[in-house]
Amino acid sequence: DVLGSRGLGDVYKRQIKDYVVQKQAQWISGQADIDAEWDSYCEQLDRLGLQELIEIRTNAINNSGSANS
């Protein structure tokens, strides 16, 4: 359902945002090497639900477009 997807999307979004902010801070401050960590960074984003979040948002966009038709 839409509300369930929205709630789950919010969880994914929060987890992903927290991780991205943390990694950006480490890379900018020189505490971590972006080149050495890039593949594991992308894998962690997938484990945190990035693909599911993309699907939830895509479905929401598609459904909102059909509601306006």
Side-chain angles (χ1 to χ4, degrees), residues 2 4 12 17-18 23 26-27 30 33 39 47 54 57 65:
V2 173
Y12 288 139
K17 182 180 178 183
D18 290 347
K23 293 310 293 181
Q26 290 174 350
W27 292 332
D33 181 354
D39 289 340
R47 282 192 293 273
I54 291 169
R57 288 185 163 201

Side-chain angles (χ1 to χ4, degrees), residues 16 19 38-50:
I16 291 167
Y19 179 66
W38 186 255
D39 289 340
S40 63
Y41 171 74
C42 292
E43 290 167 3
Q44 181 63 16
L45 288 174
D46 284 338
R47 282 192 293 273
L48 291 172
L50 179 61

